[in-house]
Amino acid sequence: MTLADRVMDRSEVVEESRWRRLVPTPKVAIVAGVAALVGYLALVPLGYLFWGTFFDNEGLEFGGFRRAYGNDRMGELLQNSLSFAIGAAVLSLTVGTTLAYLNVRTAVPFKALFFAASIVPLIVPGILYTISWIFLASPDIGLLNTALEPIFGSAPLDIFTIWGMIWVEGLHSSPIVFLLMVAAFRSMDPSLEESALMSGATRLQTLRKVTLPLVRPALLSSVLIILITSLESFEVPALLGLQNNIYVFTSRIYFVLRTYPPDLAAAGALAVGLLLIAVTGVAISRLLAGRGSGTFQTITGKGFRPRPMDLGRWKPVVGTGILLYFSATVLAPLLVLVYTSLLPFYRKPSMDVFSALTTDNYVELLHLDQAQTALRNSLMLGVGTATLVMAVMAIAAWIAIRSRIPGRGVLEQLTFIPLVIPGLVLGLALSFVYLRSPIPIYGTMFILLIAYCTKYMPYGMRYATTSMGQISSELEESALVSGASWWKTFRRVLLPLLAPGILAGWVYILVVSFRELSSSILLYSPGNEVLSILIFEQYENGQFTVLAALGVVMVLTLVVLVTIAYKIGARVGLRND
Amino acid sequence: MLNIEKLVKSFAGEKARGRRRGDAQAAVFAVNDVSFEVKEGELFTLLGPSGCGKTTTLRSIAGLEHPDSGRITVGDRVMFQRGGDHGRSVNLPANQRGLGMVFQSYAIWPHMSVFDNVAFPLQVRKRSERPSKAQITERVDRVLETMELTPQASRQATKLSGGQQQRLALARALVIEPPLLLLDEPLSNLDAKLRESLRYELKRLQRELGITAIYVTHDQIEALALSNKIAVMTAGEVVQLGKPREVYESPANKFVAEFIGTSNFMPGTIGARDAEHLTVETANGKLYLQSAAQLVVGDEVVVSIRPEAVELSRTSLGAVKNEWSGKVVARAFLGDAVDHVVAVGKQELRVRVNPSVSIEPGSEVYLRLDPTKISLVPVG
Ligand SMILES: Nc1ncnc2c1ncn2[C@@H]1O[C@H](COP(=O)(O)OP(=O)(O)O)[C@@H](O)[C@H]1O
Ligand SMILES: [Mg+2]
């Protein structure tokens, strides 16, 4: 056979295999399956939400909107939601940025405390944090009020106000801002500030004209993240606002659904409104960030030597401030939880009380079937969600980053859609889907699993794409060249290389699923409560002491999980944020 | 103009994790008892390998680093003094020293235009000392003109090329007309070609504007080309201070000779001496050279021979001094010169000659060593 013949021969083989591709190979089947799954999870709930909101049996109708926003409720809702979100953003931004600046740029005392405080949002779920602050600052039972009453004559603090809501949400979010801003300050060349000093600028001028403008992108994304998380926040407005009829979108949705009969259309109308605000927020920040980005690329990649500046006579003042911050964000909420968990019934502290501390509540937990079921449910859902999400997202990340399949960009976008869907809205949308669908999973754990998978899909995708990006595509190509099939290459070469990143993502999703509340609250049914739901129920029933014990158990479990996550994350060089 | 006396700056050692306090705290003396003086209008260079304390010295002058002890004065202003017999401690903050500085990374503010970058030092002055808007514009325009940046004035600072960014950094440092300009490796971020042309540009500007400047570099060629005076540093100390020619031709020790250019070293002992001539006995034969060093017959010395101080030819000139014979081992064409490695006895010498004299490896050659260009460096 001549060379030309052989070449001809080869081309026929290629031709043939192209035909064979129409029959699904494992690669085609897997890729198509993953794409369909992602599309289903991201789009179907939204579709049903809009359908259920705008249409009933008779066709298009706006009754839901009238009932949701009528009677001037629209203005009040908007005002409360925005003051709450903006207030929390201002508080957390101020606190978080100040702490980050002090930490990176100055020789501030107690540096270890900063990072201890920064993991609080991970290990103390919002619901426990809110309840702790009720124990601290409610007008009736708040410990701080007890302490301050002799001085002021009456209880000076009231957590059940919009200010209380802002305080709790803002403090709980400040560590997120802190971590984002620490990264921003660290990546900024200190000589940019030093050259301002050399130009004769004072510290304040340097801060205002050089430092802050340079970290503007990080500031903007922090604002956005906090605004959206506060708008989506359910536990703070529900536990603190409902008491005095301060409604925001989320608590209104919950309220509308809790009354009998539940008004699904009105809840849908509220959910659509909230979704619109969230999407607008994201769009605006993209616009703002887009305008500034590129400009700041000069923040050079050289390794900088940290040159912390001396605080001089301000050191004691700043040190005191940090101790106060640490007490308020970490110590007080955790201590009050532990204290309450050791009481036979809720009381203010006194000598008698301390002598009567008991571990009865923990013993009771051991005998409380509900608690054990909830703990098991939470763990099972966490493990299930983490496994499913990471498995599917590993393939989705491959499609998005490595393949040349048309539409891969759309797939990536789809995986990030749930990021703007508030948890409560997702819960509502899913109940729209499965109340109408013939699939009988409403009222089972499966619907929670679907909710969690949807909600944490973006995080899984982030972990998977980041670690996929770190692996040279040549490693994969050389496996293909040596004759391995696509699936073999994926399993034998890519997965092992991805494993550390996937594992880090797995633990992170386990942690966040373990404490999920806002989607679960609309989807659970008696018998399949998860931990956070049980805590919520116990709070409503006034079982404070058992609740506190359960909370302590939950925090301890999370500490273990988060420690593992950090260990793995550090080993892989990924951060858990 | 600038006076540095007994400057010392140490850094606490990095705290090694898991170690006990005591042994983790070994301090690094980044600057160890450094003194020098810079005269008005001089370009003074701190030269030394990376990590020898040049930047730390410069930052101490700038006020960005807080020295342990010593004294820094600019003109009759005391910028810093502490310890020793200096009297009351003084440490003027960086933003009150009024000096100009060009950073290694240029530290151009990316969120400002070229004009705003240069105007900044004037705009941040105290209200009572701040020039009017019109004056600021005028002064900035003038500096931009000098730096040939006028066409770029309204551009975003980050859109400039490397060389333009360097000139912008210089413009910003000069706009306040500082008595002293501090430059930390200002050319090290540029590619080789640009570096060379900017070197002469910098020298011209400095001379024309009559600026007093301290220039930090680890590049000996840069230092030799630019400076009026060089301080060679190693391990936090100044080991030689002098004019570029002096430092090159009579290095104070082996480190300087090795660091500044390449050199051939040869041990020997003093054989004979008269008023200004010395004979050194080496393994390869006698060497005659000029030296005023206080040495007596029998002293051990090391001879330093620069590669370009050697003349190479195929034929002997007969009875001249300092002529040795050897054999070419290797040859490398460098464009403007040709390097030969020549074996003389047991030693190999590096010889750099004009490209017209290129001798293939294996040839027998004669080397003639210029007595005025051979220097002695102290042993050790
Ligand atoms: N902020 C710092 N902390 C600890 N050590 C430092 C610091 N700055 C400089 N050093 C040390 O001081 C020595 C001199 O550094 P530097 O002045 O930057 O050297 P050069 O500019 O000559 O390369 C080095 O050993 C360096 O590691
Ligand atoms: Mg340096």
Side-chain angles (χ1 to χ4, degrees):
Chain A
M1 221 186 328
T2 65
L3 184 65
D5 285 340
R6 259 182 286 162
V7 171
M8 289 295 291
D9 217 42
R10 282 286 298 275
S11 75
E12 260 160 42
V13 174
V14 170
E15 204 56 36
E16 190 189 331
S17 75
R18 195 170 290 157
W19 279 111
R20 211 182 272 159
R21 244 180 241 172
L22 285 184
V23 187
T25 58
K27 175 178 173 181
V28 174
I30 290 169
V31 167
V34 164
L37 191 59
V38 168
Y40 178 82
L41 288 181
L43 295 178
V44 168
L46 286 183
Y48 270 87
L49 175 67
F50 282 101
W51 178 262
T53 305
F54 290 101
F55 294 93
D56 63 8
N57 298 338
E58 279 112 55
L60 190 64
E61 67 111 41
F62 293 99
F65 277 87
R66 214 169 21 252
R67 292 193 298 282
Y69 296 113
N71 299 333
D72 279 345
R73 220 170 269 136
M74 174 86 145
E76 186 201 324
L77 259 185
L78 267 180
Q79 192 193 336
N80 284 341
S81 296
L82 291 182
S83 349
F84 171 59
I86 292 173
V90 168
L91 176 62
S92 58
L93 211 68
T94 315
V95 173
T97 308
T98 311
L99 290 175
Y101 185 81
L102 289 174
N103 190 285
V104 178
R105 282 287 194 267
T106 69
V108 71
F110 313 121
K111 279 201 180 181
L113 288 189
F114 286 75
F115 289 94
S118 75
I119 59 164
V120 158
L122 275 179
I123 59 165
V124 187
I127 178 147
L128 286 177
Y129 203 70
T130 313
I131 293 175
S132 294
W133 272 101
I134 293 175
F135 291 157
L136 284 169
S138 107
D140 307 328
I141 60 168
L143 294 186
L144 289 178
N145 276 326
T146 317
L148 294 173
E149 217 169 328
I151 310 171
F152 288 88
S154 65
L157 304 173
D158 185 357
I159 202 77
F160 300 110
T161 57
I162 188 95
W163 295 109
M165 290 160 60
I166 289 175
W167 174 256
V168 174
E169 183 71 32
L171 273 195
H172 198 236
S173 313
S174 61
I176 301 174
V177 179
F178 170 75
L179 289 177
L180 279 170
M181 294 312 294
V182 161
F185 285 127
R186 281 206 181 134
S187 68
M188 195 176 107
D189 184 348
S191 64
L192 290 169
E193 286 171 292
E194 287 172 351
S195 58
L197 285 182
M198 288 306 293
S199 304
T202 60
R203 291 261 178 218
L204 207 64
Q205 282 172 318
T206 306
L207 191 70
R208 229 182 52 231
K209 298 194 165 183
V210 175
T211 315
L212 288 182
L214 282 176
V215 293
R216 202 185 65 146
L219 281 173
L220 274 179
S221 56
S222 307
V223 170
L224 172 76
I225 289 173
I226 305 304
L227 279 180
I228 290 189
T229 49
S230 323
L231 275 175
E232 294 181 356
S233 162
F234 166 70
E235 43 273 66
V236 175
L239 294 184
L240 300 182
L242 289 183
Q243 184 123 349
N244 288 333
N245 295 324
I246 306 167
Y247 289 106
V248 299
F249 275 94
T250 49
S251 51
R252 188 82 209 171
I253 294 174
Y254 179 67
F255 180 80
V256 165
L257 289 172
R258 211 175 50 167
T259 47
Y260 195 82
D263 187 346
L264 283 175
L270 289 165
V272 169
L274 180 53
L275 197 59
L276 276 181
I277 296 178
V279 170
T280 315
V282 173
I284 291 176
S285 83
R286 282 269 163 87
L287 219 67
L288 289 178
R291 205 186 297 153
S293 74
T295 314
F296 299 93
Q297 294 305 317
T298 52
I299 299 183
T300 48
K302 282 206 165 188
F304 314 120
R305 193 191 289 290
R307 300 190 189 274
M309 111 197 153
D310 223 8
L311 286 171
R313 62 204 156 88
W314 289 100
K315 198 161 177 169
V317 182
V318 173
T320 314
I322 285 160
L323 286 182
L324 279 178
Y325 170 78
F326 185 73
S327 316
T329 45
V330 187
L331 231 46
L334 285 179
L335 282 182
V336 78
L337 208 59
V338 173
Y339 164 75
T340 311
S341 77
L342 295 173
L343 295 177
F345 52 92
Y346 192 82
R347 284 198 289 175
K348 292 169 181 176
S350 66
M351 277 331 278
D352 296 351
V353 172
F354 282 112
S355 58
L357 291 182
T358 147
T359 54
D360 283 356
N361 293 313
Y362 293 93
V363 176
E364 193 179 333
L365 279 186
L366 286 179
H367 298 290
L368 196 66
D369 285 344
Q370 245 186 338
Q372 283 160 36
T373 316
L375 183 62
R376 197 175 54 235
N377 285 349
S378 284
L379 278 175
M380 263 165 50
L381 276 170
V383 169
T385 308
T387 311
L388 278 175
V389 167
M390 288 322 296
V392 174
M393 287 307 117
I395 295 172
W398 180 86
I399 298 175
I401 290 192
R402 283 294 153 74
S403 79
R404 301 256 152 274
I405 298 170
R408 58 186 183 280
V410 177
L411 181 76
E412 188 171 7
Q413 300 286 324
L414 281 181
T415 58
F416 285 113
I417 284 183
L419 221 44
V420 294
I421 308 179
L424 208 65
V425 174
L426 181 66
L428 182 65
L430 283 175
S431 53
F432 275 135
V433 178
Y434 295 101
L435 278 175
R436 286 157 207 235
S437 119
I439 309 169
I441 61 168
Y442 193 83
T444 69
M445 292 250 293
F446 276 109
I447 196 163
L448 290 180
L449 184 68
I450 291 177
Y452 291 8
C453 283
T454 312
K455 190 168 176 182
Y456 298 122
M457 185 159 74
Y459 300 89
M461 187 66 172
R462 179 89 54 78
Y463 274 95
T465 47
T466 308
S467 32
M468 185 81 75
Q470 290 165 354
I471 299 170
S472 149
S473 59
E474 286 172 7
L475 292 174
E476 186 187 340
E477 285 158 5
S478 63
L480 287 174
V481 169
S482 14
S485 70
W486 176 79
W487 177 239
K488 273 225 175 78
T489 308
F490 193 87
R491 233 188 48 219
R492 299 273 306 275
V493 177
L494 272 182
L495 269 191
L497 289 171
L498 283 176
I502 301 267
L503 192 61
W506 188 87
V507 183
Y508 181 73
I509 293 178
L510 173 60
V511 167
V512 286
S513 315
F514 182 73
R515 12 169 283 189
E516 213 290 334
L517 172 68
S518 58
S519 304
S520 319
I521 192 92
L522 297 183
L523 296 172
Y524 82 97
S525 44
N528 52 34
E529 285 98 346
V530 290
L531 263 189
S532 47
I533 296 289
L534 187 60
I535 289 175
F536 193 81
E537 282 179 345
Q538 283 174 335
Y539 175 77
E540 298 213 305
N541 299 339
Q543 297 167 288
F544 295 158
T545 54
V546 181
L547 172 165
L550 192 57
V552 171
V553 171
M554 188 171 184
V555 170
L556 290 178
T557 317
L558 280 165
V559 167
V560 173
L561 291 178
V562 168
T563 310
I564 298 171
Y566 265 77
K567 283 262 152 66
I568 296 173
R571 175 128 38 94
V572 209
L574 286 172
R575 280 178 305 125
N576 298 298
D577 56 12
Chain B
M1 172 69 218
L2 169 74
N3 231 313
I4 309 253
E5 290 164 42
K6 298 189 178 309
L7 192 70
V8 176
K9 167 73 188 168
S10 63
F11 290 104
E14 310 260 310
K15 264 190 208 153
R17 267 180 73 185
R19 290 241 207 99
R20 265 173 301 119
R21 250 232 166 89
D23 47 71
Q25 287 282 337
V28 182
F29 280 86
V31 179
N32 200 356
D33 199 16
V34 163
S35 305
F36 59 83
E37 193 193 339
V38 180
K39 299 214 173 62
E40 191 88 45
E42 228 175 28
L43 196 153
F44 185 96
T45 298
L46 293 173
L47 173 67
S50 172
C52 70
K54 310 175 299 279
T55 298
T56 310
T57 310
L58 199 73
R59 291 172 58 85
S60 300
I61 301 171
L64 295 170
E65 215 72 75
H66 192 167
D68 302 353
S69 64
R71 185 179 152 98
I72 302 172
T73 52
V74 175
D76 48 11
R77 282 176 82 206
V78 179
M79 298 290 179
F80 174 83
Q81 67 178 21
R82 182 159 177 230
D85 46 3
H86 298 310
R88 198 170 58 87
S89 286
V90 177
N91 184 23
L92 223 52
N95 49 15
Q96 286 168 29
R97 293 195 183 189
L99 307 179
M101 179 157 177
V102 174
F103 289 80
Q104 191 167 3
S105 61
Y106 305 146
I108 304 282
W109 298 306
H111 60 299
M112 296 185 195
S113 70
V114 169
F115 183 94
D116 291 337
N117 261 280
V118 181
F120 185 89
L122 298 173
Q123 286 165 346
V124 295
R125 289 201 173 170
K126 271 199 274 237
R127 191 148 297 167
S128 53
E129 298 165 16
R130 196 184 306 160
S132 71
K133 265 220 165 75
Q135 281 169 318
I136 291 182
T137 312
E138 195 215 306
R139 281 177 70 174
V140 173
D141 283 344
R142 203 167 55 216
V143 177
L144 287 178
E145 176 86 50
T146 317
M147 296 297 156
E148 294 170 15
L149 283 172
T150 311
Q152 283 81 24
S154 57
R155 284 236 238 142
Q156 199 68 31
T158 48
K159 300 269 154 54
L160 300 185
S161 69
Q164 287 171 331
Q165 287 199 18
Q166 201 263 340
R167 294 206 300 264
L168 173 55
L170 204 56
R172 186 178 63 190
L174 289 178
V175 74
I176 52 166
E177 291 166 13
L180 183 65
L181 179 66
L182 309 172
L183 302 138
D184 190 357
E185 313 223 6
L187 303 180
S188 65
N189 278 341
L190 305 170
D191 59 61
K193 265 245 168 69
L194 196 56
R195 196 157 28 184
E196 191 160 336
S197 72
L198 280 175
R199 198 148 69 206
Y200 293 109
E201 187 64 26
L202 208 61
K203 180 75 189 166
R204 186 183 63 78
L205 271 171
Q206 184 260 337
R207 204 176 302 145
E208 276 176 12
L209 302 177
I211 304 165
T212 314
I214 301 197
Y215 190 98
V216 161
T217 183
H218 65 266
D219 180 342
Q220 21 114 5
I221 300 177
E222 219 166 275
L224 294 173
L226 277 173
S227 328
N228 299 108
K229 216 160 187 196
I230 297 178
V232 186
M233 289 184 74
T234 178
E237 291 174 27
V238 173
V239 285
Q240 188 170 11
L241 218 153
K243 295 208 171 73
R245 230 195 156 79
E246 292 165 13
V247 174
Y248 187 79
E249 286 179 352
S250 26
N253 60 23
K254 202 168 165 182
F255 167 80
V256 178
E258 244 171 1
F259 184 72
I260 300 186
T262 43
S263 210
N264 299 295
F265 296 104
M266 212 176 285
T269 46
I270 306 286
R273 74 159 304 153
D274 59 34
E276 50 194 69
H277 296 272
L278 278 174
T279 312
V280 182
E281 309 274 1
T282 72
N284 302 315
K286 283 197 170 78
L287 263 185
Y288 299 92
L289 55 106
Q290 293 179 335
S291 171
Q294 299 296 316
L295 293 164
V296 296
V297 174
D299 277 354
E300 304 262 331
V301 292
V302 171
V303 185
S304 154
I305 305 162
R306 296 285 183 197
E308 58 276 14
V310 184
E311 199 185 315
L312 216 57
S313 73
R314 291 174 191 274
T315 51
S316 168
L317 286 188
V320 291
K321 284 181 172 170
N322 289 358
E323 186 178 89
W324 291 347
S325 69
K327 189 175 185 179
V328 177
V329 179
R331 173 173 69 165
F333 182 64
L334 301 178
D336 51 354
V338 181
D339 262 8
H340 293 81
V341 178
V342 183
V344 180
K346 280 195 193 126
Q347 197 168 14
E348 291 191 339
L349 295 187
R350 186 95 162 262
V351 179
R352 177 167 294 182
V353 294
N354 193 288
S356 60
V357 188
S358 185
I359 301 172
E360 60 276 8
S363 315
E364 298 289 336
V365 286
Y366 294 91
L367 306 92
R368 282 179 293 279
L369 300 94
D370 184 347
T372 59
K373 287 185 179 158
I374 301 171
S375 56
L376 292 180
V377 296
V379 182

